[in-house]
Amino acid sequence: MSVTLDPDATAMPESISCDVAIVGYGPVGMVLSGLLAQRGFDVVVVERHHTLYPLARAGHLDGETMRVFQELGVANEVELVAQPMLMWNLVTPEMEVLSTIHIGEGGAGWKESYLSYQPEIDRILDARVRELGVRVITGVNAERVDQSEDRASVTCRSVDDRTAAPTVIDAAFVIGADGANSFVRSALGIERAELGYAPMDSLVIDFKLDDPDRELELMPEVIQVLDPERPQLAGRWEGRNYMRFEFILHDGEDPVEFAQEDNCWKLLEMWNLSPEDGHIERNVVYRFEATLAPQWREGRVLFAGDAAHTMPPTMGQGMCSGIRDAANLVWKLDAVLRGGADQALLDTFQSERSAHVLRLIEMCVGMGDMWNSRDPEEVHRRDQMLRMGNVPPAPAFPRLGTGLVVPESDESLLVDGRPSPQARVAYDGRVDRLDEFGAGWKIVSRHAVAKDLFTEVQLKALKELDVEFAHVSRGPGPGYYVDLDGEYDLWFRKHGVRAFIQRPDKYVFGAVAELDELPALVDRLIGSLTEAGWTFRTVDTSSIKARRSPAAAIGSDPVRASLPYPGDVDVRYAGDAAVEFFTSFFTAKTKRQINETHAHFHPDQTYYADATLGWQFRTNAELEGMWKKYMPFWSRSARSYPVQIIGDTTAGAVVMMMDSPELFGGEIRAIAIVDFTDGKITRFIDYWDGRGFGAAAVEKLRLSAEQFPTTLKADLVEPKHSPVLGAAVEGLMAAISSGAGPELKDLLAYDVTLEDFALRSKIRGRAAVARYLGRAAGRLPYQGAMLSHIVGTQQGGGFEWTADGTDVPRGAAAVTLDHDGKINSLSFCWDGSLIDDQQISTLVALAVEPRR
């Protein structure tokens, strides 16, 4: 049903004056205008369409969006038409359920996710916006944007009469909320940047059942069909009356032909739906892109929502991100319009939101690439990981970028820069969500905060900001908010937090682990606001700004103190360039920085392989795709770090490294063989023991013998290793194979250490090592193996070996040399999951010295 917004839209005056003019009346424009009007501002919105768009586009809301709707006063109405999303099934084309993701927590007072039918949401927002007094003018095109130091304006004309006189809307600020093809953004000469992700064409079908109560056995909730032939998504509940289907198009398929209704019915047959069951409300092919505008403000003109960014629909975050933009911008505009801050404050709108959106786009693309993969090797990896229960964890949503928030560091708390919690509380006999007891700045604490904790200057600043102290407790007391459901208590304990400062948009400025840290956090708030352009009328902030310097790095080594992983790395046998390179690499990897991590690889000569699972990435683009698929879903506690670095960035290097279980589902201790060209990685091979991860899990993840690569591309790189190292390694392997004890004694240092990752054994001393290798003659996988590649310097490095026709066909070792060129440490790594328990036990027993 179409809705007529303003039948007299063509009867336009010559000029209109207001506080804020908004171009675009989709959900973002509606929320912006409503929140501003709610704060008492005169708002005018212009829209080129005469009526609300009658068909669905966005179909997902999250709890954060519902919290904004709560502030606007429409959340309860939205809840009547939106459907909570409870679970998400990942299935094969044969409808085998690989994994079920249960959804429901983390919605800040609401459910985590809702499925909705956008026209119903739009009608609710429209009614509220008009109730708040926003002047909505429809059927007009924005044709020009102008601005001066003091004002901005947008010139409009009727879409029905191009000869009609224009209308100039004069405002303090103009905001473009006019979609991906934004006129306002284009008027500023700003184009969105493509983020390097291939566009995706998808057929979207909205289907209305005649009987919405009907049970559909194949589709209880949301189904992601992981079909390499035709990936698709099916949602049982789009609001309370509709269903949604999305089908990915193949390259070269005609979008118009593919969207024909006859073809749509064929696609719906697998869900047992036909014209007898209902009708197709919409069938259209969309091209989904990932773009981000480099600039979101010029003077008094800003833009938000799709005008600033677009993303794939994988996580349903397009509209939600636009509404986050609105909530972020409104309270800052409020401060500027009331003279409490200068325009510089508005720069934090982009600095905070753009970083958040970019990270979210990376997550959307990563998930989309994972679910929509058509590569047989990738499909095998993904499906086996899901079958064994290794589902990518729901990632922590991005934090805000730089701005009015405690900067991200290794010392900052996870909650900083993220939405604050909200739950039911009781106060003075009233039960409601906490936000309903007052808007604005809050200090929310688990225990009562004594006012004498703060200085007079801090108290004046808090009063000027009208900060409310909200003590939320499970026990009743004077002035307490009673934590009825214990949700605040759980949140505080989960995150190790005693109190936090909540911004007007319900984001956490910063949190503290102890109450006595609050004064320093208040100083940081005052300083941040002052630097951003906030004006304190009653407070001299000059002394506070000086106290805002970040805490000094812990310990005497500032580099080590700043590492996001354990800093006790053995670099005695590594060149300075290699230490700097791998410190940079593992720092970026642990911080989940995709571009920074990938920048360490050669753009034209990249090969990366996992020698245990057979996973390989043959080109720079394939490897970049892997980072984008998996890295966004690593938790903040995930760590990938070096334990020892040997070699340099010329002759090649070996890295003994650890991956914590949060990365791939199990702990991995690996030896990586790394080759370089022009200071960039050209070949990176991981060797690790599958038993440490879990033999059964590795068996599921490992490529079959037919798919497993026959070579790990050692021939791609020229041998650059030191001749001293080469002679030591070649002599070592020959002596091990022949069982020649005397030769070993000439090759090994007196205090040599031999470690075997798969056997969890460590032998110390030249004589003991020689005796061990003699006892094990012919039984260890590397005895009789052939050298395939060596990397490293005369200080040490590593090598790869192959043993064709055996149970363990490959492995690697790390080697260090003393000043005489003798081996003083030797670490072998091979996959113990390839042999049975009895064989492992036999080999382990050989490491025990017999009685003599």
Side-chain angles (χ1 to χ4, degrees), residues 413-451:
L413 296 173
L414 178 64
V415 301
D416 295 344
R418 290 188 165 90
S420 64
Q422 183 191 205
R424 290 193 318 144
V425 295
Y427 185 84
D428 196 21
R430 175 186 167 194
V431 174
D432 216 327
R433 296 175 177 90
L434 183 60
D435 288 358
E436 296 300 318
F437 289 88
W441 292 93
K442 280 188 173 74
I443 292 179
V444 184
S445 62
R446 188 180 180 196
H447 303 291
V449 177
K451 298 295 176 63

Side-chain angles (χ1 to χ4, degrees), residues 222-270:
V222 178
I223 308 290
Q224 188 83 44
V225 184
L226 306 181
D227 183 357
E229 292 299 318
R230 175 87 66 193
Q232 60 174 291
L233 175 74
R236 171 67 178 91
W237 299 107
E238 184 186 12
R240 301 193 181 274
N241 297 288
Y242 299 86
M243 304 168 66
R244 171 162 289 187
F245 302 87
E246 296 177 7
F247 301 88
I248 308 299
L249 272 67
H250 296 303
D251 291 340
E253 285 185 315
D254 186 315
V256 175
E257 182 178 337
F258 193 75
Q260 293 298 314
E261 189 162 317
D262 287 348
N263 187 55
C264 292
W265 285 119
K266 290 178 182 176
L267 293 168
L268 294 177
E269 283 178 1
M270 70 169 286

Side-chain angles (χ1 to χ4, degrees), residues 10-60:
T10 56
M12 295 278 288
E14 183 177 330
S15 64
I16 299 173
S17 184
C18 62
D19 293 319
V20 180
I22 298 174
V23 180
Y25 196 58
V28 177
M30 292 179 184
V31 171
L32 270 169
S33 63
L35 291 176
L36 286 167
Q38 205 170 36
R39 290 168 177 259
F41 296 111
D42 182 13
V43 184
V44 173
V45 184
V46 295
E47 166 61 47
R48 63 189 178 91
H49 294 294
H50 285 291
T51 63
L52 292 175
Y53 191 73
L55 300 176
R57 288 160 293 173
H60 175 258

Side-chain angles (χ1 to χ4, degrees), residues 689-699 833:
D689 169 37
R691 280 180 175 264
F693 185 90
V698 168
E699 185 60 34
S833 71

Side-chain angles (χ1 to χ4, degrees), residues 106 109 127 133 195 290 299 309 338 413 459 477 494 507 567 592 672 706 717 742:
L195 296 181
H309 46 76
R338 296 185 191 281
L413 296 173
L459 288 172
K494 175 182 177 181
Y507 269 70
R592 309 174 307 285
E706 296 76 22
V717 292

Side-chain angles (χ1 to χ4, degrees), residues 100 203 510 649 752 849:
T100 298
L203 169 64
T649 56
V752 66
E849 286 274 4

